[in-house]
Amino acid sequence: MQNGSTAPDDNDYWRRNLVVCVFGSFTTIVAMTLLLPFLPLYVEQLGVTGHAAISEWSGVAYGAAFFTAALTAPLWGRLGDRYSRKLMLIRASLGMAVAMTLLGMAQSVWQLVALRLLAGLLGGYASGSTILVATQTPKARTGWALGMLSSGIMAGNLVGPLIGGTLPPLIGIRATFMLAGGAIFIAFLATVVLLKEVPGSASRPAAAATSPAISPWRNLPVMAMLITGTLLMLANISIEPIITLYVAQLVSGQQVTFVAGLVMAAAALGSILSASRLGRLADRVGHWRVIIGCLLVAAVLLIPQAFVTAGWQLVALRFCMGLALGGLLPCIASVIRHSVPAAKVGGVLGLSTSAQYVGQVTGPLLGGVVGGHLGMRPVFLGTCLLLAIGAGFNQLCRNAADRSAGDVQGRP
């Protein structure tokens, strides 16, 4: 480590940092997703009329935060590399607390969209936590720690809509936003008081500025991880536009929405349960092996999903697929950590976050287009093919990385 500072492997507070990051990531992701169940109602309260207009504005408002988050994630990562990763988490938690509170005070749909854009712009706690945990956890425990963090992030995605469906009828929509802002403010205080950054772990500005730039197109491991992150999100949500219609073919009318909700939650629950375990396994057997194995298993599990005859079968298969995909996020971050200089890890992990947002945007679009024009089964089979290709590409990149490492070791 530079300037004789304490190396990440030597610090004794990485576990406390992990707890703070898991809590902060969970609360911010809950806040980003809790408005899903009541967003159309809020848009209507803000003066929008007509089913089509309400639907369109709801989509714009929900996607706005992820759009700005995708654009700014690499920037926050680079600033964390140059100045302080803890400072980036303080900025994100305070910014999100303010933005969520203001969302409860919106007076028009334009203000709602603007504040969602602001939330994505100021946010990034989960991606910042990934950078800090990846760089300050002992290398032998990186996969496990990132798996725990991934479980917290995915739990936020699962719990957020549940809270959003429960609280507004009890305390109102505006109070729900303000309560979420208060929870994030607690995460902000925990970040300020409890989180401790390894002295000197962030590069000095001059050193970071003079470090060689990382081009993902020339760094095969990095390029493979960016593609894998996109495929992960695409595989998880490509069926969401068609899931209710697909379930309607399997169960009776009164059970459709309930079973569709179970199908959506099953994959997230599986990933929550498996992420830390697969991360620990990757620490022992290698991150590339786990990535390739997870992609292949998920690809195989997509095939029977296209031919199920009952709702419970689809729920069970999505849960198993979630178990397989749970190992990808921690392994992606671990491979990036080991493939780029320490001064550039944050920026590249920010690119990885943006790549995952690309999957979140393109997945539903592709699923909707394919499902609408070719039928529902091709959505599952097409996603299967993409994951299989991704596994093959990762194997090629792993072989190339192994050859490159062998060449370096063999030089006199």
Side-chain angles (χ1 to χ4, degrees):
M1 188 63 60
Q2 297 175 357
N3 306 320
S5 60
T6 303
D9 289 19
D10 299 331
N11 79 73
D12 57 358
Y13 37 76
W14 63 270
R15 291 181 179 85
R16 186 177 66 191
N17 287 352
L18 177 61
V19 172
V20 173
C21 287
V22 169
F23 173 72
S25 298
F26 173 79
T27 55
T28 53
I29 294 298
V30 165
M32 289 281 278
T33 58
L34 63 79
L35 79 169
L36 263 176
F38 63 79
L39 182 56
L41 300 177
Y42 196 37
V43 168
E44 188 174 15
Q45 286 183 15
L46 294 175
V48 178
T49 58
H51 178 78
I54 292 173
S55 178
E56 290 170 0
W57 278 109
S58 297
V60 170
Y62 184 70
F66 298 104
F67 173 73
T68 50
L71 293 178
T72 56
L75 171 63
W76 298 137
R78 286 195 296 271
L79 290 177
D81 285 339
R82 297 185 64 181
Y83 299 106
S84 168
R85 286 152 188 158
K86 176 179 177 178
L87 183 61
M88 290 300 103
L89 295 182
I90 293 173
R91 173 203 57 76
S93 54
L94 181 60
M96 278 290 293
V98 171
M100 289 303 299
T101 303
L102 291 176
L103 277 167
M105 304 177 184
Q107 299 299 315
S108 69
V109 71
W110 288 101
Q111 293 179 10
L112 174 64
V113 172
L115 289 170
R116 286 287 290 177
L117 288 168
L118 182 67
L121 176 67
L122 296 179
Y125 194 99
S127 58
S129 293
T130 300
I131 295 169
L132 188 137
V133 171
T135 54
Q136 302 203 358
T137 301
K139 286 188 177 182
R141 305 297 300 277
T142 302
W144 173 81
L146 288 169
M148 293 295 295
L149 181 61
S150 296
S151 294
I153 293 171
M154 288 179 282
N157 280 302
L158 182 63
V159 172
L162 296 178
I163 294 177
T166 305
L167 277 184
L170 300 177
I171 64 175
I173 291 176
R174 296 185 183 275
T176 298
F177 279 120
M178 294 180 185
L179 184 62
I184 299 175
F185 188 75
I186 295 174
F188 160 73
L189 294 177
T191 303
V192 172
V193 175
L194 299 177
L195 194 143
K196 186 174 178 64
E197 188 171 15
V198 176
S201 62
S203 303
R204 291 180 178 179
T210 57
S211 296
I214 298 297
S215 172
W217 311 115
R218 296 181 180 179
N219 188 317
L220 273 179
V222 171
M223 182 170 63
M225 294 308 100
L226 298 183
I227 293 173
T228 301
T230 302
L231 288 177
L232 166 64
M233 296 303 173
L234 190 148
N236 266 325
I237 64 176
S238 62
I239 71 163
E240 287 194 0
I242 66 163
I243 192 60
T244 303
L245 296 174
Y246 193 54
V247 169
Q249 299 178 359
L250 306 173
V251 301
S252 59
Q254 295 181 343
Q255 297 179 314
V256 169
T257 55
F258 174 71
V259 175
L262 288 179
V263 171
M264 292 182 184
L269 179 60
S271 294
I272 291 169
L273 296 176
S274 70
S276 62
R277 293 172 174 83
L278 287 174
R280 185 183 293 114
L281 175 65
D283 287 335
R284 295 201 310 267
V285 305
H287 302 100
W288 285 101
R289 288 183 178 178
V290 172
I291 289 173
I292 295 166
C294 288
L295 288 172
L296 287 176
V297 171
V300 171
L301 288 170
L302 278 162
I303 297 173
Q305 290 178 46
F307 302 99
V308 293
T309 57
W312 67 267
Q313 296 173 356
L314 187 58
V315 172
L317 287 168
R318 294 297 290 184
F319 175 76
C320 292
M321 195 180 84
L323 289 174
L325 293 176
L328 290 181
L329 281 179
C331 289
I332 288 169
S334 296
V335 170
I336 289 175
R337 178 190 177 184
H338 290 86
S339 301
V340 301
K344 297 294 183 181
V345 169
V348 178
L349 284 173
L351 285 176
S352 176
T353 300
S354 295
Q356 292 162 31
Y357 282 127
V358 170
Q360 284 185 308
V361 173
T362 58
L365 290 176
L366 289 174
V369 171
V370 173
H373 291 84
L374 301 178
M376 300 180 195
R377 286 180 177 174
V379 176
F380 295 98
L381 299 177
T383 306
C384 165
L385 180 60
L386 288 176
L387 292 185
I389 293 173
F393 180 69
N394 272 275
Q395 182 63 55
L396 292 174
C397 291
R398 178 194 176 192
N399 293 341
D402 289 343
R403 286 195 300 270
S404 177
D407 292 341
V408 170
Q409 292 174 1
R411 290 175 185 170

